[in-house]
Protein backbone atom coordinates (compact mmCIF):
# COMPACT_ATOMS: atom_id res chain seq x y z
CA UNK A 1 0.00 0.00 0.00
CA UNK A 2 2.80 2.38 0.83
CA UNK A 3 4.62 1.83 -2.47
CA UNK A 4 1.58 2.90 -4.57
CA UNK A 5 1.29 6.38 -2.94
CA UNK A 6 3.31 9.49 -3.83
CA UNK A 7 4.92 11.03 -0.78
CA UNK A 8 3.24 14.21 0.32
CA UNK A 9 6.49 16.12 0.64
CA UNK A 10 7.38 15.51 -2.98
CA UNK A 11 3.93 16.68 -4.20
CA UNK A 12 4.29 19.94 -2.29
CA UNK A 13 7.68 20.73 -3.82
CA UNK A 14 6.31 20.07 -7.30
CA UNK A 15 3.37 22.45 -6.85
CA UNK A 16 5.68 25.26 -5.78
CA UNK A 17 8.26 24.78 -8.55
CA UNK A 18 5.87 25.23 -11.49
CA UNK A 19 4.77 28.87 -10.91
CA UNK A 20 8.31 29.81 -9.88
CA UNK A 21 9.70 28.38 -13.11
CA UNK A 22 7.13 30.29 -15.13
CA UNK A 23 8.08 33.50 -13.40
CA UNK A 24 11.80 32.97 -14.09
CA UNK A 25 11.14 32.27 -17.74
CA UNK A 26 9.05 35.43 -18.04
CA UNK A 27 11.80 37.54 -16.47
CA UNK A 28 14.41 36.08 -18.81
CA UNK A 29 12.17 36.90 -21.75
CA UNK A 30 11.74 40.48 -20.57
CA UNK A 31 15.48 40.97 -20.03
CA UNK A 32 16.24 39.56 -23.44
CA UNK A 33 13.66 41.79 -25.04
CA UNK A 34 15.11 44.86 -23.33
CA UNK A 35 18.58 44.01 -24.63
CA UNK A 36 17.17 43.84 -28.15
CA UNK A 37 16.21 47.47 -27.81
CA UNK A 38 12.67 47.49 -29.15
CA UNK A 39 10.79 44.27 -28.17
CA UNK A 40 7.72 44.26 -25.93
CA UNK A 41 7.02 41.13 -23.88
CA UNK A 42 3.90 40.24 -21.92
CA UNK A 43 4.11 37.18 -19.68
CA UNK A 44 1.60 35.47 -17.42
CA UNK A 45 3.32 33.79 -14.49
CA UNK A 46 0.35 32.46 -12.52
CA UNK A 47 -0.03 28.75 -11.91
CA UNK A 48 -1.19 26.70 -14.86
CA UNK A 49 -0.51 29.40 -17.53
CA UNK A 50 2.26 29.80 -20.04
CA UNK A 51 4.13 33.04 -20.88
CA UNK A 52 2.87 34.80 -24.00
CA UNK A 53 5.35 34.70 -26.87
CA UNK A 54 7.49 37.79 -27.39
CA UNK A 55 6.84 40.14 -30.28
CA UNK A 56 9.24 39.81 -33.19
CA UNK A 57 12.46 41.82 -32.66
CA UNK A 58 12.89 45.11 -34.45
CA UNK A 59 14.80 44.97 -37.69
CA UNK A 60 18.50 46.02 -37.70
CA UNK A 61 17.52 49.07 -39.76
CA UNK A 62 15.03 50.22 -37.10
CA UNK A 63 17.56 49.74 -34.31
CA UNK A 64 20.28 51.66 -36.18
CA UNK A 65 17.88 54.51 -36.92
CA UNK A 66 17.03 54.85 -33.24
CA UNK A 67 20.63 54.98 -31.93
CA UNK A 68 22.63 56.55 -34.75
CA UNK A 69 24.03 59.90 -33.43
CA UNK A 70 23.58 62.99 -35.56
CA UNK A 71 26.96 64.71 -35.99
CA UNK A 72 27.09 68.49 -35.77
CA UNK A 73 28.24 70.10 -39.02
CA UNK A 74 31.92 71.03 -39.01
CA UNK A 75 32.40 74.78 -39.35
CA UNK A 76 35.70 76.22 -40.53
CA UNK A 77 35.99 79.75 -39.04
CA UNK A 78 38.62 80.72 -41.62
CA UNK A 79 36.28 79.76 -44.45
CA UNK A 80 33.40 81.67 -42.86
CA UNK A 81 35.61 84.75 -42.51
CA UNK A 82 36.82 84.44 -46.10
CA UNK A 83 33.21 84.39 -47.25
CA UNK A 84 32.36 87.45 -45.12
CA UNK A 85 35.38 89.32 -46.48
CA UNK A 86 33.96 89.11 -50.00
CA UNK A 87 31.65 91.95 -48.99
CA UNK A 88 34.52 94.22 -47.92
CA UNK A 89 35.25 96.94 -50.51
CA UNK A 90 38.99 96.86 -51.33
CA UNK A 91 40.47 98.99 -54.10
CA UNK A 92 42.47 97.26 -56.80
CA UNK A 93 46.07 96.94 -55.64
CA UNK A 94 45.20 97.33 -51.97
CA UNK A 95 45.51 94.39 -49.58
CA UNK A 96 43.89 93.64 -46.24
CA UNK A 97 44.35 91.01 -43.55
CA UNK A 98 42.28 90.44 -40.44
CA UNK A 99 42.34 88.10 -37.45
CA UNK A 100 39.73 87.66 -34.72
CA UNK A 101 39.54 85.71 -31.46
CA UNK A 102 36.58 84.80 -29.28
CA UNK A 103 38.31 84.69 -25.85
CA UNK A 104 35.49 82.70 -24.21
CA UNK A 105 35.54 79.79 -26.65
CA UNK A 106 39.16 80.15 -27.73
CA UNK A 107 38.08 79.98 -31.39
CA UNK A 108 39.84 82.23 -33.88
CA UNK A 109 39.79 83.02 -37.58
CA UNK A 110 42.35 84.61 -39.88
CA UNK A 111 42.14 86.07 -43.35
CA UNK A 112 45.25 87.08 -45.29
CA UNK A 113 48.76 85.91 -44.50
CA UNK A 114 50.91 88.74 -45.84
CA UNK A 115 53.22 91.05 -43.88
CA UNK A 116 52.40 94.71 -43.34
CA UNK A 117 54.00 97.88 -42.00
CA UNK A 118 52.76 98.41 -38.47
CA UNK A 119 52.69 102.23 -38.58
CA UNK A 120 51.55 103.33 -35.11
CA UNK A 121 49.95 100.11 -33.92
CA UNK A 122 53.53 99.15 -32.98
CA UNK A 123 53.20 101.62 -30.10
CA UNK A 124 51.21 98.98 -28.19
CA UNK A 125 54.10 96.57 -28.72
CA UNK A 126 56.67 99.19 -27.65
CA UNK A 127 54.85 99.84 -24.38
CA UNK A 128 54.33 96.12 -23.77
CA UNK A 129 58.08 95.58 -24.21
CA UNK A 130 58.86 98.46 -21.83
CA UNK A 131 56.50 97.06 -19.19
CA UNK A 132 58.04 93.60 -19.55
CA UNK A 133 61.54 95.00 -19.12
CA UNK A 134 60.43 96.95 -16.04
CA UNK A 135 58.93 93.76 -14.57
CA UNK A 136 62.19 91.90 -15.19
CA UNK A 137 64.05 94.69 -13.41
CA UNK A 138 61.66 94.67 -10.48
CA UNK A 139 60.79 98.32 -10.97
CA UNK A 140 57.88 100.57 -11.93
CA UNK A 141 57.79 102.95 -14.86
CA UNK A 142 59.32 106.33 -14.17
CA UNK A 143 57.25 109.49 -14.32
CA UNK A 144 58.86 110.38 -17.64
CA UNK A 145 58.10 106.92 -19.08
CA UNK A 146 54.48 107.17 -17.98
CA UNK A 147 54.18 110.59 -19.61
CA UNK A 148 55.62 109.26 -22.85
CA UNK A 149 53.38 106.20 -22.68
CA UNK A 150 50.22 108.27 -22.25
CA UNK A 151 51.03 110.56 -25.17
CA UNK A 152 52.16 107.68 -27.36
CA UNK A 153 48.99 105.58 -26.91
CA UNK A 154 46.23 108.12 -26.31
CA UNK A 155 47.42 110.74 -28.81
CA UNK A 156 49.67 108.59 -31.03
CA UNK A 157 52.53 111.02 -30.41
CA UNK A 158 55.55 110.08 -32.51
CA UNK A 159 58.19 111.89 -30.41
CA UNK A 160 57.08 109.91 -27.35
CA UNK A 161 57.21 106.68 -29.34
CA UNK A 162 60.76 107.44 -30.44
CA UNK A 163 61.83 108.11 -26.83
CA UNK A 164 60.46 104.77 -25.64
CA UNK A 165 61.78 102.98 -28.73
CA UNK A 166 65.24 104.02 -27.62
CA UNK A 167 64.47 103.06 -24.03
CA UNK A 168 63.65 99.45 -24.94
CA UNK A 169 66.76 99.08 -27.13
CA UNK A 170 65.08 99.72 -30.48
CA UNK A 171 64.41 96.66 -32.69
CA UNK A 172 66.57 94.34 -30.58
CA UNK A 173 64.55 95.05 -27.46
CA UNK A 174 61.24 94.74 -29.30
CA UNK A 175 62.20 91.45 -30.93
CA UNK A 176 63.36 89.97 -27.60
CA UNK A 177 60.05 90.86 -25.95
CA UNK A 178 58.07 89.53 -28.91
CA UNK A 179 59.83 86.19 -28.69
CA UNK A 180 58.45 85.86 -25.17
CA UNK A 181 55.05 87.13 -26.27
CA UNK A 182 54.85 84.41 -28.93
CA UNK A 183 55.02 86.71 -31.96
CA UNK A 184 56.81 84.69 -34.64
CA UNK A 185 56.41 86.87 -37.74
CA UNK A 186 57.10 90.37 -36.42
CA UNK A 187 60.43 92.14 -36.96
CA UNK A 188 61.36 95.55 -35.59
CA UNK A 189 62.11 98.36 -38.03
CA UNK A 190 65.69 99.39 -38.77
CA UNK A 191 67.23 102.15 -36.69
CA UNK A 192 64.57 104.64 -35.67
CA UNK A 193 62.06 103.38 -38.24
CA UNK A 194 59.75 101.84 -35.67
CA UNK A 195 56.74 102.54 -37.93
CA UNK A 196 58.17 100.17 -40.54
CA UNK A 197 58.18 97.22 -38.18
CA UNK A 198 56.83 94.26 -40.17
CA UNK A 199 54.01 92.12 -38.79
CA UNK A 200 51.02 89.91 -39.61
CA UNK A 201 47.40 89.99 -38.49
CA UNK A 202 47.90 86.68 -36.66
CA UNK A 203 50.86 88.10 -34.71
CA UNK A 204 48.90 91.20 -33.74
CA UNK A 205 46.18 88.92 -32.41
CA UNK A 206 48.82 87.20 -30.26
CA UNK A 207 49.93 90.59 -28.96
CA UNK A 208 46.34 91.47 -28.06
CA UNK A 209 46.11 88.21 -26.12
CA UNK A 210 49.12 89.34 -24.08
CA UNK A 211 47.34 92.62 -23.30
CA UNK A 212 43.78 91.38 -22.75
CA UNK A 213 44.23 87.73 -21.78
CA UNK A 214 45.17 86.10 -18.49
CA UNK A 215 47.83 83.78 -19.90
CA UNK A 216 50.38 86.54 -20.43
CA UNK A 217 54.00 87.45 -19.83
CA UNK A 218 52.70 90.78 -18.54
CA UNK A 219 51.54 91.12 -14.96
CA UNK A 220 47.95 91.96 -14.15
CA UNK A 221 48.96 95.52 -13.27
CA UNK A 222 50.84 95.96 -16.55
CA UNK A 223 47.92 94.65 -18.59
CA UNK A 224 45.44 96.89 -16.79
CA UNK A 225 47.66 99.93 -17.36
CA UNK A 226 47.99 99.31 -21.09
CA UNK A 227 44.29 98.49 -21.52
CA UNK A 228 43.36 101.70 -19.72
CA UNK A 229 45.39 103.82 -22.14
CA UNK A 230 43.88 102.03 -25.14
CA UNK A 231 40.41 102.86 -23.81
CA UNK A 232 41.14 106.59 -23.72
CA UNK A 233 42.13 107.25 -27.33
CA UNK A 234 41.81 110.84 -28.56
CA UNK A 235 38.44 111.65 -30.10
CA UNK A 236 39.81 112.18 -33.61
CA UNK A 237 41.04 108.57 -33.58
CA UNK A 238 37.72 106.91 -32.74
CA UNK A 239 37.72 104.74 -35.85
CA UNK A 240 38.95 101.33 -36.94
CA UNK A 241 37.92 98.19 -35.04
CA UNK A 242 35.65 100.34 -32.87
CA UNK A 243 33.20 100.38 -35.80
CA UNK A 244 32.30 96.79 -34.90
CA UNK A 245 31.65 97.58 -31.22
CA UNK A 246 28.53 98.61 -29.36
CA UNK A 247 28.95 102.33 -28.74
CA UNK A 248 32.14 103.03 -26.80
CA UNK A 249 32.67 99.43 -25.70
CA UNK A 250 36.19 99.17 -27.11
CA UNK A 251 39.91 99.66 -26.43
CA UNK A 252 42.15 100.15 -29.47
CA UNK A 253 45.20 101.57 -31.21
CA UNK A 254 45.19 102.74 -34.81
CA UNK A 255 48.04 103.32 -37.24
CA UNK A 256 48.24 105.29 -40.46
CA UNK A 257 51.19 105.95 -42.75
CA UNK A 258 51.41 107.44 -46.22
CA UNK A 259 54.35 106.01 -48.11
CA UNK A 260 56.38 108.71 -49.82
CA UNK A 261 57.42 106.45 -52.72
CA UNK A 262 53.87 105.65 -53.82
CA UNK A 263 51.60 108.10 -52.02
CA UNK A 264 49.51 105.12 -50.91
CA UNK A 265 48.35 104.54 -47.35
CA UNK A 266 48.93 101.89 -44.69
CA UNK A 267 45.86 101.84 -42.42
CA UNK A 268 45.75 99.49 -39.42
CA UNK A 269 43.65 99.00 -36.30
CA UNK A 270 43.89 96.56 -33.38
CA UNK A 271 41.97 96.17 -30.15
CA UNK A 272 39.14 94.65 -28.16
CA UNK A 273 35.50 95.27 -29.02
CA UNK A 274 32.33 94.32 -27.19
CA UNK A 275 29.29 93.26 -29.23
CA UNK A 276 26.03 92.32 -27.48
CA UNK A 277 27.92 91.89 -24.22
CA UNK A 278 30.55 89.60 -25.76
CA UNK A 279 34.23 90.51 -26.17
CA UNK A 280 36.30 89.91 -29.31
CA UNK A 281 39.95 90.65 -30.06
CA UNK A 282 40.39 92.00 -33.59
CA UNK A 283 43.42 93.00 -35.66
CA UNK A 284 42.99 94.54 -39.13
CA UNK A 285 45.90 95.52 -41.37
CA UNK A 286 45.91 97.07 -44.82
CA UNK A 287 48.24 98.72 -47.32
CA UNK A 288 48.02 100.16 -50.81
CA UNK A 289 44.96 102.31 -50.04
CA UNK A 290 44.44 105.28 -52.36
CA UNK A 291 43.39 107.56 -49.50
CA UNK A 292 43.35 107.48 -45.72
CA UNK A 293 39.56 107.59 -45.73
CA UNK A 294 39.27 104.58 -48.05
CA UNK A 295 41.72 102.67 -45.89
CA UNK A 296 39.66 103.39 -42.79
CA UNK A 297 36.57 102.11 -44.60
CA UNK A 298 38.40 98.88 -45.40
CA UNK A 299 39.60 98.14 -41.85
CA UNK A 300 36.21 99.02 -40.36
CA UNK A 301 34.36 96.72 -42.77
CA UNK A 302 36.95 93.99 -42.10
CA UNK A 303 36.44 94.33 -38.35
CA UNK A 304 32.68 93.90 -38.78
CA UNK A 305 33.23 90.88 -40.99
CA UNK A 306 35.53 89.41 -38.37
CA UNK A 307 33.09 89.58 -35.46
CA UNK A 308 30.30 88.26 -37.69
CA UNK A 309 32.14 84.92 -37.80
CA UNK A 310 31.18 84.24 -34.17
CA UNK A 311 27.70 85.73 -34.25
CA UNK A 312 28.54 89.41 -33.87
CA UNK A 313 27.40 92.21 -36.16
CA UNK A 314 27.33 91.15 -39.78
CA UNK A 315 29.61 92.72 -42.35
CA UNK A 316 28.37 95.42 -44.69
CA UNK A 317 29.63 95.45 -48.24
CA UNK A 318 28.96 99.17 -48.47
CA UNK A 319 30.64 100.11 -45.20
CA UNK A 320 31.94 103.63 -45.01
CA UNK A 321 34.32 105.20 -42.51
CA UNK A 322 32.70 106.22 -39.25
CA UNK A 323 31.60 109.83 -38.96
CA UNK A 324 34.48 110.78 -36.68
CA UNK A 325 36.95 109.11 -39.01
CA UNK A 326 35.62 110.91 -42.08
CA UNK A 327 35.76 114.26 -40.33
CA UNK A 328 39.27 113.79 -38.99
CA UNK A 329 41.09 111.82 -41.69
CA UNK A 330 42.65 114.78 -43.46
CA UNK A 331 43.23 116.64 -40.20
CA UNK A 332 45.02 113.64 -38.70
CA UNK A 333 47.23 113.31 -41.72
CA UNK A 334 48.21 116.97 -41.55
CA UNK A 335 48.65 117.01 -37.78
CA UNK A 336 51.18 114.19 -37.92
CA UNK A 337 52.66 115.08 -41.28
CA UNK A 338 56.23 114.32 -40.27
CA UNK A 339 57.87 111.70 -38.12
CA UNK A 340 58.98 112.80 -34.67
CA UNK A 341 61.49 115.60 -34.33
CA UNK A 342 63.88 113.22 -32.63
CA UNK A 343 63.67 110.60 -35.38
CA UNK A 344 66.41 110.26 -37.91
CA UNK A 345 66.25 111.96 -41.29
CA UNK A 346 65.66 108.63 -42.99
CA UNK A 347 62.62 108.07 -40.78
CA UNK A 348 61.16 111.38 -41.91
CA UNK A 349 61.81 110.52 -45.52
CA UNK A 350 60.00 107.21 -45.28
CA UNK A 351 56.57 108.77 -44.96
CA UNK A 352 54.86 112.04 -45.65
CA UNK A 353 52.22 111.41 -43.01
CA UNK A 354 52.12 108.97 -40.13
CA UNK A 355 50.34 108.20 -36.92
Amino acid sequence: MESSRVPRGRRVRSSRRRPLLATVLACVAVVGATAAGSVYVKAQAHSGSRAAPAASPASPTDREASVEPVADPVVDPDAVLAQAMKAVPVDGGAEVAVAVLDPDSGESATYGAGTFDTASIVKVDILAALLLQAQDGGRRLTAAEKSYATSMIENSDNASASALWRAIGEAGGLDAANERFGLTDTEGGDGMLWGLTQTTAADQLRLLQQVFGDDSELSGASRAYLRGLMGRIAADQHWGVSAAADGFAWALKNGWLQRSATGLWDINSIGRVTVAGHDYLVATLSHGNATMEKGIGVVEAAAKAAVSVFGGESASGTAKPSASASASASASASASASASASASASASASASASG
Side-chain angles (χ1 to χ4, degrees):
M1 297 291 292
E2 255 177 63
S3 60
S4 63
R5 297 174 58 189
V6 178
R8 293 182 180 179
R10 185 176 177 182
R11 185 179 297 115
V12 170
R13 284 196 299 270
S14 176
S15 63
R16 290 179 179 175
R17 184 180 301 169
R18 183 175 298 172
L20 178 60
L21 178 59
T23 301
V24 170
L25 290 174
C27 291
V28 169
V30 171
V31 171
T34 303
S38 55
V39 179
Y40 176 73
V41 177
K42 180 178 180 181
Q44 293 179 340
H46 57 79
S47 177
S49 300
R50 292 184 179 181
S56 60
S59 68
T61 302
D62 291 340
R63 290 200 300 270
E64 289 177 4
S66 65
V67 299
E68 184 71 21
V70 178
D72 292 331
V74 177
V75 177
D76 180 0
D78 289 349
V80 176
L81 178 55
Q83 182 64 32
M85 286 297 293
K86 291 181 179 180
V88 175
V90 181
D91 287 343
E95 292 185 65
V96 61
V98 60
V100 59
L101 171 72
D102 179 346
D104 288 345
S105 68
E107 290 189 294
S108 64
T110 304
Y111 172 86
T115 58
F116 295 77
D117 302 329
T118 56
S120 281
I121 61 171
V122 76
K123 292 169 182 175
V124 173
D125 205 359
I126 292 172
L127 182 51
L130 179 67
L131 290 166
L132 185 61
Q133 290 179 359
Q135 286 177 202
D136 291 344
R139 68 174 185 87
R140 297 180 179 180
L141 297 188
T142 66
E145 287 171 337
K146 287 184 176 180
S147 178
Y148 286 138
T150 299
S151 296
M152 177 178 71
I153 300 297
E154 293 185 6
N155 304 108
S156 203
D157 182 67
N158 291 332
S160 297
S162 293
L164 295 184
W165 178 252
R166 292 191 189 93
I168 66 170
E170 300 179 5
L174 187 78
D175 293 345
N178 283 341
E179 184 174 356
R180 293 169 63 181
F181 292 152
L183 277 63
T184 57
D185 296 305
T186 299
E187 184 177 355
D190 293 335
M192 292 302 297
L193 302 178
W194 44 261
L196 296 184
T197 294
Q198 299 298 293
T199 194
T200 64
D203 257 11
Q204 289 303 300
L205 195 61
R206 296 185 185 101
L207 178 62
L208 290 173
Q209 287 177 270
Q210 290 292 314
V211 177
F212 293 97
D214 294 329
D215 185 11
S216 173
E217 291 290 319
L218 298 174
S219 68
S222 293
R223 298 196 305 272
Y225 175 66
L226 187 40
R227 292 195 299 260
L229 295 177
M230 293 176 69
R232 296 191 294 270
I233 298 298
D236 65 342
Q237 296 171 37
H238 288 186
W239 51 267
V241 297
S242 58
D246 292 338
F248 288 91
W250 50 260
L252 62 79
K253 183 69 191 81
N254 296 325
W256 59 99
L257 174 69
Q258 186 178 27
R259 300 306 303 270
S260 58
T262 63
L264 300 177
W265 288 81
D266 298 331
I267 302 294
N268 307 321
S269 185
I270 62 173
R272 180 184 65 188
V273 299
T274 302
V275 183
H278 199 89
D279 290 338
Y280 301 93
L281 302 182
V282 186
T284 58
L285 312 177
S286 72
H287 56 209
N289 299 287
T291 66
M292 182 178 178
E293 184 178 28
K294 286 185 176 181
I296 291 173
V298 167
V299 298
E300 291 188 341
K304 292 179 180 180
V307 300
S308 75
V309 171
F310 302 115
E313 182 179 348
S314 60
S316 171
T318 58
K320 297 180 180 180
S322 57
S324 61
S326 299
S328 64
S330 59
S332 296
S334 300
S336 56
S338 63
S340 66
S342 60
S344 64
S346 59
S348 299
S350 68
S352 61
S354 62

